[in-house]
Amino acid sequence: MIDVLVVDDDFRLVNIHRGFVERTPGFRAVASARTGEETLAALDEHRPDLVLLDLYLPDVFGLDLVRRMRAEGHETDVFVISAARESEAVRAAVRLGVVSYLLKPFSFDEFQERLEQYANRRAGLAMAVRDQADVDRAFARTGTATAMPKGFSTETAQLVEATLRGADGSLSAAECAERIGVSRVSARRYLEQLAERGRAEVALKYAGRGRPERRYRWR
């Protein structure tokens, strides 16, 4: 059983997210918190495996709280659930080792899918390592670079996905590139990969002569 601490300053969302956790097999909500200080106290008391963390808390920004957690020796995994769409926040979350980043609002199915992915990655890291093949399987389950096609970066893939999920409507490769600070060609490669995996849909926009613009929307 994976113990979860739910952190959000909105008590209504705390109750909703706790309910989502309890509906997901293999997970249980052991505590909740609405501030950074309450979160640290709950970590000391309950020692959860996973923290569902909103970033906009009344006394601290969520990612600053993650840094404080690490400084105080809490190695609990962190799953961000937030309305923060800024690329800087997503990049910082990746650097801090956040295991997932889900934008509000979201459905129960989206939430459950992310928890199940986390459980699979966690199980992969717990296996015995006998040879290089076991190491490669563990890294593939954690979603790190070895699970990506050659020439693709996991961090960039996460940024592109989060940007597309948070967009109001569709994005072109150029618009996506500008938001996350990569080249248009690079953004298009990652967007096309999402489309190939069925995670994004592509529509052609015609504007006069010339090649139509490809626009991407999260499914």
Side-chain angles (χ1 to χ4, degrees), residues 29-43:
V30 295
S32 60
R34 296 175 60 185
T35 68
E37 291 301 322
E38 288 181 7
T39 299
L40 293 172
L43 286 169

Side-chain angles (χ1 to χ4, degrees), residues 2 11 14 30 37 61 70 87 92 95 112-114 120 127 181 190 195 209:
I2 297 175
F11 75 92
V14 166
V30 295
E37 291 301 322
F61 185 58
R70 300 302 183 233
S87 58
R95 288 194 297 269
Q112 186 178 57
E113 179 184 6
R114 293 303 182 94
N120 289 335
M127 71 182 188
Y190 286 89
R209 296 181 178 181

Side-chain angles (χ1 to χ4, degrees), residues 3 25 51 62 81 90 112 118 128 142-143 155-156 165 170 186 197 212:
D3 291 342
V51 176
I81 45 175
V90 178
Q112 186 178 57
Y118 167 74
T142 61
E155 290 78 10
T156 304
R165 288 175 63 93
S170 63
S186 181
R197 292 165 50 200

Side-chain angles (χ1 to χ4, degrees), residues 53-67 82 84 86 89 92 101:
L53 180 64
D54 182 27
L55 294 187
Y56 296 127
L57 301 177
D59 58 342
V60 65
F61 185 58
L63 296 180
D64 291 332
L65 178 60
V66 175
R67 296 183 181 94
S82 178
E86 298 83 2
Y101 195 117

